Amino acid sequence: VTDTSNGLIALIREKGRISFAEFQALALYHAELGYYTSGRERSGWGGHYITSAQLDPAFGELWARGLEEIWRASGAPNRFFVVELGPGEGAFAASVLRGASSDLRSALSYVLVERSDVLRARQAVLLHGEADVSWASGLSEMTPHAAGCIIANEVLDNQPVHIVEQQGGSLVELNVEEQAGGLQGTWLPATPPLIDFLTRNGMERPEGRIEVHLAAEQLVRSAAAAIQTGALVFLDYGAEALELLSKPEGTLVCYSGQGVDDDPLDRPGEKDITSHANWTSVRAAVTAAGLEPSGPVPQREVLISLGLRDLMQAAKEEQERALQAGRGAEGFRAIARRQALATLAEPAGLGGMDVFAALKGIEAPPFLR
Ligand SMILES: C[S@@+](CC[C@H](N)C(=O)[O-])C[C@H]1O[C@@H](n2cnc3c(N)ncnc32)[C@H](O)[C@@H]1O
């Protein structure tokens, strides 16, 4: 057991029994010991998983076109804020800023919402020299921007969840406590806010395990309040409430240096803990905030609408040209790029992610419909 895990276990010993959501918030986001806040590299080729933006800059370049469409649908204002939540290593921001047309770039102010100082410093190195880039440590402290887009890739699935099951005819919630130097789960009667969440989302009689997304709902509400006009865009693995009900084991999984597992209480702070976004609850939260929900649409379809096939064709032609002319290295780079582009659209992989949007005072641009 590492110092990080021991530190978190000691903290929980002091706190006594806590909900799984409180445990997950500590394990991922405790200021020094959290999986994300400790500042170690989590995503990318040197980390535990890879995200779309890190696979190939094409992802951010295509999204720069999408953001341009949202900007135009907002009436092409002189100042347009793109607020990215949880930018990780900053790859998405870098490729959006580099891929933006000069029209969009002249209006664009890019805000990275990042609470880890270490990550912020790495993002600043990557974005060095880019104009109109700034940082905020939380959405709630932000004064609403007049026009913009709040965008988050794989952030909802990292929000702390409560875990509920139906046992012997009543709903119980997973709690976490320290025992003999390790962590152990205990089931207690589910509290009213959890029962209320299940009822609101048509999930009051689960057959198996259900994740309750109170923190994600709160994040969506803060995002809805952070702009006056524009769009929210959430890119994530997710499902509707009905589909989640049909997964008796729930959707929670962990990623670490040792691969994928389903034991979040083991080695806390050393693992990512994720679960599918609940689109039914996200839709209800944006609707209650007065926004127009749109989607989810599979990422594959969104990227194709934004021009993925043209990029694939261009990479194919570049490969042929380069190999015929004996420019081996460039030919191989084109082959690698073709593979990366295909992976972004692969239904069983990143292409199977969803894009969920919510419009505030604007029409949904065609690529989101
Ligand atoms: C799976 S990573 C994704 C990183 C990046 N978006 C990417 O695609 O490479 C999730 C990130 O979201 C951050 N995060 C989680 N909750 C957040 C919140 N409420 N506000 C801002 N960032 C958050 C985490 O710290 C983590 O860096």
Side-chain angles (χ1 to χ4, degrees):
V1 185
T2 62
D3 289 349
T4 299
S5 294
N6 277 331
L8 284 165
I9 292 168
L11 201 70
I12 293 166
R13 184 185 311 129
E14 270 168 46
K15 283 184 176 285
R17 191 185 287 151
I18 55 175
S19 69
F20 183 83
E22 271 177 85
F23 159 73
Q24 188 179 353
L26 287 172
L28 297 186
Y29 306 119
H30 178 276
E32 288 92 42
L33 303 170
Y35 177 82
Y36 278 111
T37 22
S38 67
R40 278 177 285 165
E41 193 173 334
R42 297 316 192 181
S43 59
W45 299 107
H48 296 162
Y49 59 87
I50 190 135
T51 58
S52 304
Q54 292 173 313
L55 187 63
D56 194 285
F59 182 73
E61 287 158 14
L62 291 170
W63 266 102
R65 298 183 191 173
L67 292 166
E68 176 156 357
E69 288 195 33
I70 296 171
W71 171 61
R72 293 199 187 281
S74 308
N78 291 336
R79 195 131 195 243
F80 188 73
F81 288 88
V82 169
V83 179
E84 187 187 354
L85 305 182
E89 299 295 328
F92 184 74
S95 47
V96 164
L97 287 164
R98 279 154 209 167
S101 70
S102 54
D103 283 359
L104 174 64
R105 194 65 187 89
S106 64
L108 183 61
S109 286
Y110 205 102
V111 184
L112 296 97
V113 178
E114 177 57 66
R115 51 187 150 187
S116 150
D117 291 340
V118 187
L119 279 182
R120 212 187 255 228
R122 287 212 288 272
Q123 293 156 7
V125 169
L126 195 64
L127 301 176
H128 179 74
E130 290 288 347
D132 290 309
V133 173
S134 61
W135 278 262
S137 54
L139 259 188
S140 45
E141 83 204 18
M142 242 168 55
T143 333
H145 292 304
C149 177
I150 316 278
I151 189 160
N153 185 47
E154 296 201 40
V155 173
L156 285 182
D157 69 340
N158 267 148
Q159 298 310 301
V161 291
H162 294 264
I163 295 181
V164 171
E165 275 187 16
Q166 180 135 258
Q167 291 178 7
S170 52
L171 289 169
V172 288
E173 177 189 5
L174 183 63
N175 281 252
V176 176
E177 61 193 345
E178 185 271 341
Q179 283 247 324
L183 295 179
Q184 171 176 299
T186 327
W187 296 93
L188 292 179
T191 56
L194 307 189
I195 296 173
D196 177 54
F197 177 95
L198 296 181
T199 311
R200 282 189 279 121
N201 292 295
M203 306 172 94
E204 52 274 70
R205 265 183 283 281
E207 275 172 37
R209 193 168 272 216
I210 288 289
E211 291 107 24
V212 173
H213 296 265
L214 298 183
E217 269 186 345
Q218 187 50 49
L219 184 63
V220 169
R221 280 195 285 267
S222 307
I227 43 160
Q228 286 162 4
T229 316
L232 316 184
V233 177
F234 296 105
L235 304 110
D236 238 308
Y237 296 99
E240 299 291 344
L242 254 183
E243 193 188 337
L244 293 170
L245 273 179
S246 72
K247 297 180 190 292
E249 311 293 331
T251 68
L252 193 117
V253 282
C254 306
Y255 295 91
S256 73
Q258 297 174 20
V260 186
D261 72 75
D262 61 357
D263 188 2
L265 302 188
D266 166 56
R267 294 187 296 127
E270 301 291 345
K271 297 177 174 184
D272 192 12
I273 307 174
T274 84
S275 50
H276 278 25
N278 180 326
W279 297 132
T280 307
S281 93
V282 173
R283 187 178 298 107
V286 296
T287 307
L291 281 72
E292 186 67 42
S294 171
V297 180
Q299 164 155 303
R300 172 189 168 76
E301 287 173 26
V302 167
L303 294 180
I304 288 173
S305 303
L306 291 173
L308 180 68
R309 289 215 169 101
D310 297 343
L311 295 187
M312 288 172 134
Q313 184 59 29
K316 184 164 178 258
E317 286 164 13
E318 169 59 14
Q319 175 190 332
E320 284 160 4
R321 264 197 313 271
L323 292 180
Q324 267 164 24
R327 291 183 280 122
E330 282 159 49
F332 294 144
R333 196 180 306 126
I335 294 174
R337 176 143 232 231
R338 285 181 69 190
Q339 286 288 353
L341 295 173
T343 306
L344 287 176
E346 168 61 45
L350 291 164
M353 285 182 69
D354 288 329
V355 178
F356 189 102
L359 295 315
K360 198 167 183 180
I362 68 166
E363 292 280 319
F367 81 96
L368 287 174
R369 283 187 225 138

